[in-house]
Amino acid sequence: GLWQVNGRSNLSWEESIRLDLYYVENWSLTGDLQIMWRTLMVMLRPDGAY
């Protein structure tokens, strides 16, 4: 999801919920492809992970 690639544990609970709601309200195939690409980048450079 968006919160996982936008800061993970560095985000507040409210911010993570806002990002999840944004995703649901604005879903698109292009958006999912962008999230998958960003997921790969986060896996290579884990920032905000415990």
Side-chain angles (χ1 to χ4, degrees):
L2 282 176
W3 71 269
Q4 289 93 342
V5 296
N6 283 303
R8 302 192 294 184
S9 60
N10 292 333
L11 297 176
S12 68
W13 183 81
E14 292 85 8
E15 187 69 11
S16 64
I17 296 299
R18 186 188 67 76
L19 288 170
D20 280 346
L21 290 173
Y22 177 84
Y23 171 78
V24 170
E25 294 170 353
N26 298 288
W27 180 88
S28 71
L29 181 58
T30 304
D32 277 357
L33 293 173
Q34 290 174 340
I35 291 171
M36 289 191 306
W37 172 252
R38 292 177 68 187
T39 299
L40 177 62
M41 295 296 105
V42 168
M43 288 172 53
L44 295 175
R45 287 182 284 125
D47 181 37
Y50 287 106

